[in-house]
Amino acid sequence: MNEAQARKRIDKLREELHFHNYRYYVLDDPVISDAEYDRLMRELENLEKEYPHLVTPDSPTQRVGAPPLDKFEEVRHAVPMLSLANAFEEEEVREFDGRVKRFLETTGDVEYCAEPKIDGVAVELVYEQGRFLIGSTRGDGQVGENVTQNLKTIKAIPLNLIPSKGKPLPARLDVRGEVYLPLKAFQELNARRERDGEPPFANPRNAAAGSLRQLDSSITAQRPLDIFCHGIGRYSGTELKTQWELLEALRSWGFKINPHRRRCRNVNEVFLFYRELDALREKLPYEIDGVVIKVNSFRLQEALGTVARSPRWALAFKFKPKEAITRVLDIVVNVGRTGALTPSAVLEPVRVGGVTVSSATLHNQDEIDRKDVRIGDTVVIQRAGDVIPEVVRVLVEKRTGKEKKFRLPDRCPVCGSEVDRPEGEAVARCTGIACPAKLKETIIHFASRDAMNIEGLGVKIIEQMVERGLIKDYADLYTLTLEQMLTLERMGPKLAENILTAIRNSKKTTLDRLIYALGILHVGEHIAKLLANEFSTVEELSQATLERLTSIKGIGEEIASSVVKFFQQEGNQKVIRKLKDYGVEYPPRPARPKAKDLKFQGKTFVFTGGLKTLSRSEAESKVESLGGKASSSVSKKTDFVVAGEDPGSKLDKAKALGVKVLTEDEFLELVG
Ligand code: IVH
C-alpha cells in the first residue's frame, strides 16, 4: 500500500468507526459485533502508526492517549452558560407560567418543552466546520476549564458532526449538555475505591465531576461517563425555531439527547409529564433531580430574556426528596480532615428510597438549633440526589419530655485542642495542628508544591508515616531517618534517599512559602504573601495583634482573627519552634521598593481573550508586582485593556469607553 492508498483506507476506516461508535454509544443499537469493531480499530491504529503524520485530532484513535496536563487552561464561553431558577411546588410553576404570559402580554397557552433535569456536570462542546474542537466545564458561567481531552474519552460525544441531507453543517456550533456517570458505573467505581482504600464519592454527580477534572485523561477513560445534550450557545447555521426542533437537530448531527422529553401545550401538560417522570425515576439507570421546563419558541425566549443569571423562559421543577420517619438514638461528632466538627444523628435504621439509612448529617450547631433536634426525637429524614441523608424536621408532637438537647463540645473529641467557631461562621473547627484527624491533610499541604515543595513526598507515603506514628506534626518530617523510611511499604533505599534529600532541601525556603505551609485557616498563598511583606519573621507574625493585622490592606477581620488564634495555641507555637530548631530558614526580607519606583502604581488593567506567552494569572501577578491592579471588569476607571486572542465583550466595552487597548506584545514591552 502506498501513502495515497493508505490515506484513502484511513479515511474509510474512520468513517466506519465513527458510524459504529454512534450506533453503539448514542443509539444503543450496534450493527456489528464488538470483535468486528475492534478489528477495524486495530487496522486504523496500525495504519496511523505507519503514517503518523496522517493522525488527526478527530480520529477515533484519539479518544485516549494525550499526555497528562499540568493544569487546565481557561476557556471563555462565547455565550455565558446560565443557571436555572428552581421551583419545588406546582404553585411556583403556575406562577412562572403566569409571569411568562404577563411578560408576553398573552392570555393564551404558552407551549413548553419539558426535559429531565440530569444530575450531572454541565459542559460545553465547541464544533467548528463540523469538528469537535474544545470542550469545557461550566465554571462560573463565563469562564470554564478546558477538559477537551477528557471529553474526547466519552464515546457518545461525536468528534465529527453527521451531515444531514440537503442541509449544510453549521460553521460554528457550541453544544451544551450534562455529563453523568450511570448509576451502575458509580456503584462499581465506589466499590473499587473502597477496596483500594480510597474515599468513595458521595454521589454520582461528584464522581462525574471528579472524573471530568482529571489531569490525566487515561484515568477519565476508565470511567464510563456519558452525556445528554440539551442546548446550544454560539451557533451559526440554518435557523432553528424551537427548543424541540433544536433537540431534533442535535440528534440528527449525532448527539445523544434524552428520550424522555415532551412538547407540552400548556402548564397542565407539564404537570402530567412531571408526575410520569417522577414515577419512572427510580427505574432510570442515571440520576435526575427534576424537570426542566423551557418556553418552546426561540422567538418568545428572546423576548423574555434573562434576569440576573437565569433566563426568564426556563425553570427547574425539582422532585421531592425521598422521606422517611425514624428516631434519633444519639448525636455523635466527627472531626473531618480540615478539622471541621460535624455532628451527625445516629438513627434507628430505616429504608428511604430503596436504601437503609442509619445516620444522617446535622451539618452544624446552627442547624441543630434551628431544627431543634434532640437525642430521642422522632424525626423526618430525607435522601435527596445525594447519598448522605439529612434530618428535615422534628415531629414535636411525639416528644415525651425525655429528649436531651445537644451541644458541640468545646474541645476536639480527637485531640483535646480548643474548638474555635469564629463569629458569624457556621463551622466549628479543631485548632490543633497536630490533631491526628487532620494531620495527614496538614502535612500534605505543608509538603505541597506551592508550600515547602518537598518533591516525591506523596499522599500515600504521608498517610503511612502518620498511621505508623513516624510523624506527629510537620516539623517531625525533619527528624526522619533512613531506617524509619525503609519501614514504609514500597520504599527502597534509592527512593528513601531522594525523599530525605528533598525534605532537607526544603529547609531553605522563603517566608511567604513558610507562612502558607503552616496551614493557617483562611491563609492561602496570596494572604501569605501579604503577611510576608509586612513581617520579617514568623516570630514577629506570631506576636501580631488583631489591630495590626487588620490594618494591612487585603486582610479582614476573619483572616486576622484566624491568624491570632492559630498562634495562641501553645501546641502550634511548639511546632513552629521545632521547625526553627531543625534549621528551616528563609532569607531576610528585602528592602521594600518605594511606591514611586513601581511603574504601574495606581494603574488598573483588565485582560480579555487568550494570551500566547503567559497565563492570565501570570499576567495579573506581573501587574500586581509592579504596583498595579488587575480587575475583571472594564469601567471608566480602567487604564488599560489587554486584548489577547478571541477577545470577549470587554474589548467592545473598552472601545466604547475610550479605554486604551494594548496587544499582548505592547503589554510585554510595557512590563519590560
Ligand atoms: S438547560 C439556561 N436542560 O441544570 C438554562 N439544563 O440549574 C440552561 N441541566 O447548568 C440549562 N439537565 O447543567 C438544561 N435538560 C436540561 C438539563 C439542564 C440538567 C443542568 C445544567 C444547568 C443546570 C441549571
Side-chain angles (χ1 to χ4, degrees):
M1 197 183 290
N2 64 25
E3 182 166 334
Q5 288 164 324
R7 192 185 291 267
K8 237 175 127 188
R9 180 69 188 145
I10 285 176
D11 283 347
K12 177 88 186 120
L13 283 167
R14 284 181 188 160
E15 193 181 313
E16 280 188 32
L17 282 161
H18 280 313
F19 173 74
H20 292 302
N21 199 56
Y22 171 73
R23 298 289 319 193
Y24 189 95
Y25 289 102
V26 178
L27 301 185
D28 200 9
D29 184 20
V31 285
I32 57 170
S33 69
D34 291 3
E36 181 67 7
Y37 181 89
D38 291 343
R39 198 190 59 69
L40 294 171
M41 187 63 113
R42 234 170 302 126
E43 190 185 341
L44 179 60
E45 279 167 359
N46 289 335
L47 279 172
E48 287 185 350
K49 224 179 269 160
E50 208 173 316
Y51 300 97
H53 59 286
L54 296 183
V55 177
T56 57
D58 61 347
S59 170
T61 57
Q62 299 306 298
R63 288 196 182 264
V64 270
L69 307 169
D70 290 331
K71 66 173 176 48
F72 296 115
E73 296 296 323
E74 288 184 349
V75 178
R76 179 164 291 274
H77 305 297
V79 176
M81 291 179 78
L82 303 172
S83 54
L84 290 172
N86 286 327
F88 298 90
E89 306 292 338
E90 275 195 16
E91 194 41 44
E92 295 168 75
V93 181
R94 283 198 195 285
E95 282 165 20
F96 163 78
D97 182 53
R99 270 198 306 279
V100 166
K101 285 178 183 159
R102 240 176 298 127
F103 203 94
L104 296 173
E105 295 176 358
T106 169
T107 46
D109 283 343
V110 173
E111 186 175 80
Y112 294 104
C113 177
E115 305 162 23
K117 185 168 189 311
I118 311 298
D119 199 7
V121 184
V123 297
E124 178 168 77
L125 314 168
V126 174
Y127 289 80
E128 275 185 11
Q129 309 304 338
R131 275 194 191 189
F132 178 47
L133 206 63
I134 296 175
S136 55
T137 57
R138 177 176 182 278
D140 63 4
Q142 308 281 340
V143 176
E145 287 176 319
N146 185 333
V147 288
T148 311
Q149 279 314 328
N150 295 342
L151 287 168
K152 276 190 174 179
T153 69
I154 303 177
K155 308 282 205 322
I157 293 180
L159 300 180
N160 289 298
L161 302 184
I162 302 175
S164 52
K165 283 152 254 122
K167 279 195 188 157
L169 281 176
R172 162 89 179 218
L173 173 68
D174 296 357
V175 175
R176 272 99 190 256
E178 200 79 1
V179 167
Y180 65 93
L181 190 65
L183 282 169
K184 191 157 157 276
F186 165 70
Q187 280 145 7
E188 284 165 6
L189 174 62
N190 264 358
R192 196 168 64 236
R193 285 175 73 87
E194 295 211 63
R195 264 202 315 278
D196 295 347
E198 291 173 286
F201 288 108
N203 53 54
R205 175 164 32 82
N206 287 1
S211 306
L212 205 54
R213 296 195 68 259
Q214 289 289 335
L215 290 165
D216 182 352
S217 60
S218 70
I219 298 178
T220 314
Q222 293 161 21
R223 315 255 171 96
L225 293 171
D226 210 330
I227 190 168
F228 284 119
C229 295
H230 54 61
I232 51 174
R234 181 142 90 179
Y235 169 69
S236 44
T238 48
E239 196 200 357
L240 295 163
K241 291 202 164 58
T242 62
Q243 169 69 12
W244 190 260
E245 208 180 302
L246 167 66
L247 292 176
E248 291 308 321
L250 288 174
R251 182 162 69 164
S252 75
W253 290 320
F255 294 99
K256 186 162 163 178
I257 57 171
N258 194 284
H260 308 287
R261 57 186 182 281
R262 185 160 306 162
R263 199 159 31 169
C264 301
R265 273 173 303 197
N266 53 45
V267 74
N268 289 323
E269 289 192 3
V270 172
F271 295 141
L272 279 177
F273 176 66
Y274 175 89
R275 276 175 233 133
E276 277 177 41
L277 201 60
D278 196 12
L280 188 70
R281 190 176 166 205
E282 291 287 302
K283 297 193 193 76
L284 292 177
Y286 46 87
E287 287 206 330
I288 59 175
D289 58 349
V291 169
V292 180
I293 307 168
K294 304 173 184 172
V295 169
N296 195 28
S297 151
F298 285 156
R299 189 175 53 77
L300 297 185
Q301 285 189 6
E302 222 161 279
L304 285 156
T306 61
V307 260
R309 289 170 156 251
S310 19
R312 269 199 210 89
W313 45 263
L315 185 72
F317 186 11
K318 298 289 209 78
F319 291 133
K320 303 240 165 8
K322 301 272 175 282
E323 292 188 340
I325 293 172
T326 185
R327 233 166 58 89
V328 176
L329 302 177
D330 197 2
I331 295 178
V332 294
V333 177
N334 291 310
V335 184
R337 291 183 306 179
T338 60
L341 270 65
T342 310
S344 68
V346 179
L347 304 171
E348 207 162 274
V350 61
R351 283 183 75 77
V352 201
V355 176
T356 302
V357 167
S358 55
S359 72
T361 179
L362 293 166
H363 301 291
N364 53 54
Q365 186 70 49
D366 284 353
E367 282 290 295
I368 296 180
D369 295 346
R370 195 172 62 76
K371 294 174 183 161
D372 190 20
V373 182
R374 305 179 190 180
I375 298 168
D377 265 340
T378 302
V379 291
V380 176
I381 62 158
Q382 71 173 25
R383 203 173 66 85
D386 292 1
V387 171
I388 304 172
E390 64 175 354
V391 171
V392 190
R393 62 178 186 279
V394 174
L395 298 178
V396 185
E397 63 277 15
K398 302 256 169 150
R399 284 212 173 130
T400 62
K402 292 214 188 90
E403 293 75 16
K404 282 209 294 283
K405 285 206 177 196
F406 171 85
R407 282 227 67 80
L408 270 188
D410 297 331
R411 297 252 157 208
C412 170
V414 177
C415 75
S417 294
E418 218 174 287
V419 169
D420 175 43
R421 185 178 158 199
E423 275 280 316
E425 257 184 61
V427 184
R429 288 175 207 271
C430 164
T431 51
I433 342 181
C435 177
K438 39 187 241 192
L439 186 56
K440 285 179 195 169
E441 206 61 27
T442 310
I443 292 174
I444 291 168
H445 172 79
F446 183 81
S448 66
R449 201 174 60 187
D450 298 321
M452 301 300 274
N453 191 19
I454 306 180
E455 232 170 275
L457 188 58
V459 173
K460 286 266 147 60
I461 300 175
I462 292 174
E463 283 177 352
Q464 284 189 61
M465 288 174 170
V466 172
E467 274 154 25
R468 294 172 189 217
L470 296 185
I471 48 180
K472 299 238 158 24
D473 56 53
Y474 39 62
D476 287 348
L477 285 172
Y478 297 104
T479 66
L480 286 170
T481 63
L482 186 61
E483 248 162 60
Q484 285 177 317
M485 290 292 289
L486 290 174
T487 64
L488 303 178
E489 274 162 41
R490 292 205 227 148
M491 181 64 65
K494 181 100 183 66
L495 181 58
E497 270 300 348
N498 286 345
I499 293 176
L500 286 176
T501 307
I503 293 177
R504 232 176 0 253
N505 290 343
S506 77
K507 287 185 193 176
K508 284 210 182 324
T509 184
T510 55
L511 181 56
D512 61 318
R513 277 179 178 272
L514 180 58
I515 294 174
Y516 174 59
L518 294 178
I520 307 170
L521 184 66
H522 304 313
V523 177
E525 267 179 280
H526 173 67
I527 300 296
K529 285 206 173 83
L530 292 182
L531 293 171
N533 260 327
E534 201 64 31
F535 300 91
S536 316
T537 60
V538 174
E539 289 69 32
E540 199 188 313
L541 172 63
S542 74
Q543 302 299 321
T545 60
L546 212 59
E547 293 71 44
R548 170 86 202 275
L549 287 163
T550 44
S551 73
I552 302 169
K553 189 158 170 270
I555 295 191
E557 199 74 34
E558 187 181 21
I559 298 171
S561 113
S562 163
V563 172
V564 170
K565 289 218 179 85
F566 179 88
F567 288 109
Q568 269 169 0
Q569 298 297 312
E570 182 42 36
N572 295 357
Q573 292 278 9
K574 211 165 99 194
V575 178
I576 290 164
R577 278 197 296 275
K578 271 168 51 178
L579 286 175
K580 193 170 180 194
D581 293 345
Y582 297 148
V584 172
E585 56 176 15
Y586 39 89
R589 192 184 68 192
R592 237 178 290 167
K594 289 194 204 75
K596 67 173 171 51
D597 296 343
L598 294 172
K599 62 163 114 171
F600 288 174
Q601 190 67 39
K603 299 277 185 249
T604 303
F605 285 72
V606 174
F607 292 88
T608 177
L611 302 176
K612 289 183 303 254
T613 54
L614 61 183
S615 73
R616 178 73 59 91
S617 62
E618 281 165 348
E620 290 177 347
S621 22
K622 276 237 154 73
V623 167
E624 279 159 13
S625 71
L626 292 171
K629 211 178 118 213
S631 165
S632 58
S633 61
V634 180
S635 74
K636 274 189 290 194
K637 294 200 184 116
T638 310
D639 295 286
F640 299 101
V641 166
V642 181
E645 276 171 24
D646 250 338
S649 60
K650 289 180 201 168
L651 179 59
D652 305 331
K653 192 154 176 205
K655 285 181 180 156
L657 292 173
V659 174
K660 176 126 184 73
V661 177
L662 301 176
T663 64
E664 180 172 354
D665 290 340
E666 286 167 341
F667 169 70
L668 292 173
E669 207 170 298
L670 205 59
V671 167

